[in-house]
Amino acid sequence: MPKIIQLSPHVANLIAAGEVVERPASVVKELLENAVDAGASQVTVEIRDGGMTFLRVTDNGCGMSSEDARTAFLRHATSKLRQAEDLSAIATMGFRGEALAAIASVSRIDLMTKTPGSLSGTSLHLEAGSITEESEAGCPDGTTIIVRDLFYNTPARMKFMKSDTVEGGKVAAAVQLQALAHPEVSFRFLRDGKQVLSTPGTGDLEAAVYCVYGRDCARMVKVESRWENYTLTGYVTKPTDSRPSRALQTFFVNDRPVKSRLLIAALEEAYRNQIMSGKFPACVLHLKVPANTVDVNVHPAKTEVKFLSEKAVFDCVHYGVLGALNKTVDRPQVQFKTPPAPTPVQPPKAAPQKQETFFRTMTAAEYKTFSSAMQDAPQPKKEAAIATVAAIEQTRSLPLREHVVIPAPMPNPIPVAQPPKSETVPEPPAAEPEQVAMPMPQDIPWRLVGELYRSYVLVEQGEEAFLIDKHAAHERILFDKLKQKQEAISSQVLLTPVPCRLSPDAAAELLANRELLQELGFELDQFGDNTVLLRQIPMDLSPEDAADAAEALAADLLSGRREDRNSVRDEVLHTVACKAAIKAGWHTDEKELLALVRQVMENDELKYCPHGRPICISLSKKQLEKQFKRS
Ligand code: ADP
Ligand code: MG
């Protein structure tokens, strides 16, 4: 064994830098946290070459005395903690006293800082962590830190850096995150001389979200809820606006951005059965919990947290989001593209939209105009404001011009869910399409007008028309019914068992899950190598669809959700509901249509099919009048 020595502070700092300073974006994160902790209301970040050669953060916070400025770069130097007990209730972003020491050890730094009370400020220059120059300086209140030539003395780390574009993108994301964390601070971000983000700093989260996420947030749903002594605020996307990845899921715990599986699970649970699989909600959610119920000191970069009560946190987020989603009373509207309207507000200067599609730039003044247009204006004006701000799409859409198909009366009503014999869409009824009086009960406030394309039922109520997707609606209704019967699903014994040929792993998967499948109404046996024999199927499923359903089930089981019985069960119910529901293109007799419409119109909660497609969209008289240039 070689002799043990204690590492020099410089080497210790380099090791710490490995944890805290991974790339320019992590430097920016730390410097921004310091600026926020210093009470700044305005912070500007500027980078060149992805932040590798030049990175500057300027704030108007409390500044440092010359003595503090020197101490700040020592390891474990912090003004935010005094004793061990303070660690159990941390209210600042930083507390480890490591960031400046670590950053300084791998770069060249210039610092200028001045406290509001003093006449002059301090200027320091550091190379690889050591102060090489110090002078008095005339500078504004607050602090400016310039970090140059990051990793110049650690070539091993330098090798891991990606292109300037990639590093610059990560810096941008770090600034966005802080902007969303602190809507009360105005952040500006300049990349190679161009301003790419500016938030108003009015304290209004919606404004910050708008600047960062762009116009997508104009359709987001506001979340505001309390759960015991936890509060949840922020914005989430509607189920129909889901995204292909989790990239736009942003969570803050006591203003600190965190990555947490718990929070993701709680969010997504609220979208269960409303969102297509493979799609994810976007969110900006702020969870505030008492400081002593959360441990932020579990990761050097402070991005992970530990909660005292995971159950309470889960419930707070889950029910908070669920409540917000259920409160969106509006059914989705028919979207006509708004033609360029007379400009009600000044559009913000076009941000570089080609690459950073989620960037928007808005000054406080612009935001004010925008938000007042949004607040007091009636719906059409609001739409115009959004359209203008979002740099207006030019396309004018065509008015509806297709024929309305009125279902003809059928001599014998077909029972629900009997597909026509042929696979193709059935011929239209031979009888001439005379107007049929729908059997209308007297006590209902709406009128079933007819059916479009054998798929969408048209309903009129007052000044509003609704188009109901009959398949989606029926699927949802069946799904909810199946789900309510929490115990075993009733099944039918097939007189002739249905053979179902599958891939070997799919067949094996079904056979391995017999017990679960039985609960769901299926009974099956092995029948040769890759084939299973279906002996019993759920009551609501027709025998012709049984093989398809079994295959879909196997896919559900194989896709890895087997650990969670509830989600497998839900998947199966989706499959059964989907197979058993009336299909678009089928003829549906009017009694059935009426029954379906009645359920949709009487139940505001029927908004999305279990896959997340809308069930019912509205089209107001006003919207039509606008299209026909009557208003
Ligand atoms: P920590 O933030 O964990 O305390 P840092 O190394 O990031 O550790 O900073 C060390 C100290 O330097 C801080 O505690 C703070 O007192 C001071 N400091 C750093 N940045 C600023 C700033 N922008 N304005 C005022 N003080 C600052
Ligand atoms: Mg810090």
Side-chain angles (χ1 to χ4, degrees):
M1 262 290 167
K3 190 175 167 355
I4 298 176
I5 55 155
Q6 188 164 19
L7 294 175
S8 72
H10 179 60
V11 177
N13 281 340
L14 282 178
I15 292 172
E19 284 175 352
V20 182
V21 191
E22 207 187 338
R23 51 182 8 121
S26 30
V27 173
V28 165
K29 168 188 174 286
E30 294 293 340
L31 297 183
L32 291 182
E33 285 187 357
N34 283 347
V36 169
D37 282 343
S41 62
Q42 279 174 8
V43 183
T44 303
V45 183
E46 226 179 310
I47 60 166
R48 279 182 225 143
D49 308 320
M52 292 302 300
T53 58
F54 179 92
L55 187 164
R56 171 163 54 196
V57 175
T58 306
D59 69 55
N60 64 350
C62 65
M64 286 176 268
S65 68
S66 60
E67 192 194 336
D68 276 354
R70 280 192 304 270
T71 320
F73 290 95
L74 298 177
R75 186 125 192 253
H76 304 308
T78 180
S79 56
K80 301 164 196 174
L81 274 187
R82 286 286 175 266
Q83 47 203 6
E85 294 82 79
D86 296 346
L87 264 179
S88 59
I90 287 163
T92 49
M93 295 296 111
F95 58 84
R96 298 171 62 103
E98 284 184 327
L100 287 185
I103 296 166
S105 71
V106 291
S107 66
R108 303 181 221 271
I109 286 193
D110 284 295
L111 169 87
M112 268 156 292
T113 186
K114 178 179 160 320
T115 56
S118 53
L119 287 172
S120 63
T122 306
S123 161
L124 291 183
H125 182 79
L126 293 94
E127 299 261 336
S130 310
I131 298 174
T132 57
E133 281 166 46
E134 181 183 352
S135 59
E136 211 180 61
C139 54
D141 292 349
T143 303
T144 297
I145 296 193
I146 301 174
V147 179
R148 284 182 229 263
D149 305 329
L150 190 62
F151 303 132
Y152 79 100
N153 55 348
T154 51
R157 176 55 61 114
M158 183 73 118
K159 273 210 298 262
F160 284 100
M161 292 304 108
K162 302 255 168 55
S163 68
D164 290 353
T165 322
V166 172
E167 294 302 336
K170 289 184 190 285
V171 171
V175 182
Q176 289 181 357
L177 205 55
Q178 293 299 327
L180 294 174
H182 302 284
E184 74 284 2
V185 178
S186 163
F187 287 92
R188 267 187 352 121
F189 177 44
L190 292 103
R191 192 169 166 176
D192 296 311
K194 262 197 255 127
Q195 175 171 301
V196 287
L197 178 74
S198 151
T199 63
T202 48
D204 177 3
L205 180 62
E206 188 180 10
V209 174
Y210 187 88
C211 292
V212 173
Y213 279 14
R215 98 180 125 145
D216 291 9
C217 91
R219 294 162 51 86
M220 280 172 107
V221 179
K222 187 173 186 168
V223 178
E224 209 163 21
S225 75
R226 277 191 79 85
W227 186 265
E228 294 169 5
N229 45 3
Y230 298 179
T231 62
L232 183 75
T233 50
Y235 292 85
V236 295
T237 42
K238 296 182 180 177
T240 35
D241 294 338
S242 52
R243 313 201 59 87
S245 77
R246 296 196 169 98
L248 293 189
Q249 292 185 355
T250 310
F251 295 98
F252 300 98
V253 174
N254 295 350
D255 295 339
R256 189 184 298 283
V258 297
K259 297 201 179 92
S260 158
R261 280 166 176 242
L262 179 74
L263 297 179
I264 294 174
L267 167 78
E268 294 184 357
E269 185 63 22
Y271 287 80
R272 176 108 157 240
N273 299 327
Q274 298 197 56
I275 204 162
M276 286 191 227
S277 56
K279 295 274 188 177
F280 305 92
C283 72
V284 176
L285 285 174
H286 277 263
L287 178 68
K288 296 253 157 95
V289 305
N292 59 4
T293 66
V294 60
D295 187 356
V296 292
N297 192 23
V298 290
H299 188 271
K302 297 161 290 186
T303 51
E304 283 165 31
V305 290
K306 244 182 122 46
F307 296 105
L308 196 63
S309 166
E310 299 205 329
K311 168 100 177 53
V313 168
F314 186 95
D315 287 349
C316 174
V317 174
H318 173 211
Y319 291 116
V321 174
L322 199 62
L325 291 179
N326 283 340
K327 250 191 263 153
T328 59
V329 283
D330 55 317
R331 296 196 144 122
Q333 289 185 343
V334 171
Q335 295 284 321
F336 293 116
K337 296 258 165 71
T338 320
T343 323
V345 293
Q346 276 303 99
K349 279 160 229 97
Q353 286 177 7
K354 263 177 229 130
Q355 282 166 13
E356 291 96 356
T357 33
F358 293 109
F359 273 146
R360 286 294 181 282
T361 335
M362 219 193 311
T363 63
E366 282 161 351
Y367 170 72
K368 241 177 159 173
T369 332
F370 168 72
S371 72
S372 66
M374 290 295 286
Q375 255 156 33
D376 47 44
Q379 190 63 18
K381 221 170 168 190
K382 259 190 201 175
E383 280 168 15
I386 294 169
T388 315
V389 169
I392 302 161
E393 290 163 47
Q394 278 86 8
T395 10
R396 281 163 196 266
S397 68
L398 292 169
L400 292 168
R401 283 191 303 126
E402 318 295 316
H403 297 292
V404 175
V405 178
I406 309 288
M410 291 291 288
N412 302 310
I414 311 175
V416 181
Q418 283 309 305
K421 286 284 168 292
S422 68
E423 282 300 298
T424 50
V425 174
E427 290 291 305
E432 63 267 34
E434 58 178 297
Q435 181 87 34
V436 179
M438 290 287 180
M440 280 311 205
Q442 295 302 303
D443 56 332
I444 46 177
W446 44 265
R447 186 170 74 89
L448 199 166
V449 182
E451 193 182 355
L452 293 168
Y453 322 123
R454 295 198 166 191
S455 304
Y456 310 104
V457 192
L458 184 60
V459 178
E460 179 189 16
Q461 177 171 22
E463 305 258 291
E464 197 88 41
F466 297 99
L467 285 158
I468 297 169
D469 179 328
K470 70 179 180 184
H471 170 72
H474 195 204
E475 188 183 350
R476 178 85 224 183
I477 291 166
L478 287 178
F479 175 78
D480 287 347
K481 255 199 213 143
L482 289 171
K483 213 174 139 75
Q484 267 163 24
K485 296 190 219 146
Q486 279 296 333
E487 72 281 16
I489 294 165
S490 56
S491 61
Q492 48 179 321
V493 179
L494 296 176
L495 290 178
T496 330
V498 176
C500 173
R501 210 183 137 72
L502 300 156
S503 68
D505 54 342
E509 190 68 26
L510 286 185
L511 290 166
N513 284 286
R514 265 197 203 149
E515 199 188 319
L516 170 68
L517 292 172
Q518 199 156 21
E519 247 176 65
L520 301 165
F522 287 90
E523 206 176 290
L524 47 90
D525 280 326
Q526 184 157 16
F527 186 67
D529 261 357
N530 303 341
T531 306
V532 295
L533 208 54
L534 300 172
R535 296 190 181 280
Q536 269 186 33
I537 58 171
M539 194 64 108
D540 290 299
L541 196 63
S542 84
E544 296 96 282
D545 285 326
D548 261 13
E551 198 177 330
L553 278 180
D556 294 342
L557 289 165
L558 280 172
S559 71
R561 300 178 94 179
R562 60 198 102 181
E563 330 79 51
D564 178 358
R565 278 200 154 208
N566 274 337
S567 14
V568 177
R569 198 186 150 90
D570 279 0
E571 284 299 333
V572 172
L573 298 185
H574 284 177
T575 305
V576 173
C578 180
K579 297 282 179 220
I582 49 176
K583 303 278 184 298
W586 288 6
H587 172 83
T588 318
D589 80 82
E590 64 263 31
K591 265 208 212 110
E592 249 169 64
L593 279 187
L594 199 57
L596 194 66
V597 168
R598 210 175 178 148
Q599 298 192 59
V600 174
M601 296 303 288
E602 284 169 6
N603 185 355
D604 272 344
E605 302 208 333
L606 282 183
K607 286 185 199 119
Y608 303 100
C609 85
H611 298 105
R613 288 193 299 272
I615 284 173
C616 177
I617 56 178
S618 75
L619 168 61
S620 67
K621 190 173 170 205
K622 276 222 178 73
Q623 275 176 297
L624 272 182
E625 280 171 349
K626 215 160 124 197
Q627 289 298 307
F628 287 108
K629 312 281 178 232
R630 280 172 170 270
S631 67

